[in-house]
Amino acid sequence: MKKLLSILAAATMTVSAPLSVVACKKTDKNLEETEFDYQFWTNKLINELNQVVNSGLQKQLGDLYFQPQKFFENNKYINYENIMKILDGESSMDLKSESIEFKQIDSEIREFIDWNEILKSVNDRIIGEVNYKNILVNGQNPLKNGFEISEITLTEKAAGIVMINFKLDVSVQLRDESGSAFFQKIEYKSTIGIFTDEALVEEINNAISDFNEQLKLSENANNFRFTSSSGNFDENAAQFSQSDHGVQKSFSEFLEKFNNQQSGSSFGNLQINQNQNKYNFQKSAFLSASVVESSVRSKWYLEDNLNTTLKKGLVEGGGALLNTIDLTLDTNDRSDAVMGSRDTIPENVKKNLTSNDAWMFNHLYIKEKIDKKTNLSFDQILTDSDSEFDISTNDRSDSKVIAIFPTEVQSLSISLNQEGSELKFDIPNVNVFIKQEMREENSKKLMTQWLTLALELFREMFGFESGENNGNNNVAMKLPESFKNEFEFNKTYSYHELIEGVYNEAVERIKTRFPEANYELISGFYQSLNLDTGNADKFRVADTNNNLYYMNTSGDTVAYRQGLSPNLKSVFWQKKHKHNRKKWIDIFIYWRSSRYNSAWIWHW
């Protein structure tokens, strides 16, 4: 390997772009424009459509779970007598989609659904979003093809009670990265319950209504919390269902308190239960405590002077790095060398900042986002739930809150005794708003620790800590040992594995250097390369230090221009290292230049 690298002066990688560059809509004039991240915005759009469909259909169909038979007296097919006739002595029956009974019930279920109302919600919330323009087919509503009812199951639950369980398949039409249309499916399940005993229906509906009303109250709505300083929100949400987790404990306590109040039920021992610990985090409605993009933007390679705040801190470490962090945390500093701009701080937030609040990251921004309705998905869920959820700014009770997870609690049921037998019915899901609280005492301490680890991550990944990069070579990434040992011509390498190796080895070195650090705060690494046709990114592997160099189109590793620089970030939210392409690309070394004593690497 060393012999081979000693032969090489450099290896260069050229990036080609299958998709034209689109500037994303910016919420902050100081945030840089980046290449359109197709996969990110497609996932976000699908999540938002899911939320619109579920919220809209829940409004229209939620009241049908428990109804007396007289409610359906004008229905020819959805009524107690007809369902019992179809069952013909069977306790349960899955209707075949081609059967006349299926088609008849299908036709009447559709009468309860106003699909135009769903389409209007999509038009109001989604069609005008500039970042969805590339994903929508000719700017059309992605739900315009409507839905199909794919499953209908009839059940005689008990004497005088029949249930119709059905599933809707909603067709979503979008455009892939090549411009071709493709279809996605959103599923929605619901129930129609028909009861001959009106008193029983009233008792059940009153209990569910009381349950929902109590869940809305401030004393309960603001009580769902967990403690973590991790920015990996998917991992955080996956832990909600654990029995010893703060969220599951809080919901179990709420259920216990509610059920203890139901002892006066006419039907005895009426209870609402969670059959399984199931939570559906609604990612499109997530709110964070960040006023600016929660990432360290590493543009040291644009700084020619080694004495600039960021470059000096990265190259020298120690006191110089501490100075970089102090300036970043200083509300009045105007250099903006590492993160964001103080111009983004709203005046009403600025006047309430204390010495313990980090200007770029604190609970006041969550309150601001809620009040200003900056996230339409969050606002819709909050409006639909009619919850008294809020962030307190009058005292410091919410000062440690760094994120809000709007979450659907699933697998709920109501049980009661009737004539000595227990009856159990599924009930609609409910939404709660879960507060993530940091482990640290305040946001300034959190940001100090995160900035330290984020900048040290760059120092490790790019050879500043080891001294292999002196700051003059600009963006020189340390190759992972596994890659260096296998490096050869005419061989394809996984770019994903390359970056993963660089990242993982850097993290291990940080853990060795800082054994007492909170490793929840070790950030992810994101890079967005310039992939427009005129400005392809290149890399080279140098024999002097076995590093991977980012280059401009002229093959120059020093004279970077703003338009040619890779966008390198250490991110707080979502720790996984990412690349801005739909698929991780590969590296293929295919040509060696005798003139420049170098190898070219193709990137696709």
Side-chain angles (χ1 to χ4, degrees), residues 36 93 118 147 212 241 324 471 512 587:
F36 183 73
M93 181 181 296
I118 306 292
F147 64 90
N212 290 328
S241 60
T324 300
T512 300
I587 299 171

Side-chain angles (χ1 to χ4, degrees), residues 362 486 494 500:
N362 64 75
E486 296 177 357
S494 166
E500 186 174 45

Side-chain angles (χ1 to χ4, degrees), residues 230-297:
S230 170
N232 192 331
F233 45 74
D234 281 339
E235 187 176 278
N236 287 338
Q239 296 174 10
F240 291 168
S241 60
Q242 295 177 5
S243 58
D244 59 347
H245 193 276
V247 171
Q248 184 59 45
K249 283 183 176 180
S250 297
F251 195 75
S252 296
E253 289 169 1
F254 170 74
L255 281 178
E256 183 179 5
K257 182 175 72 171
F258 172 81
N259 287 330
N260 287 339
Q261 300 169 357
Q262 305 304 310
S263 57
S265 168
S266 304
F267 294 89
N269 199 30
L270 189 150
Q271 303 272 289
I272 289 183
N273 308 295
Q274 190 178 20
N275 305 325
Q276 302 176 48
N277 300 346
K278 292 184 68 175
Y279 298 89
N280 177 33
F281 164 42
Q282 306 198 51
K283 192 184 297 185
S284 64
F286 174 78
L287 292 184
S288 79
S290 312
V291 65
V292 293
E293 187 177 24
S294 54
S295 62
V296 173
R297 298 176 296 170

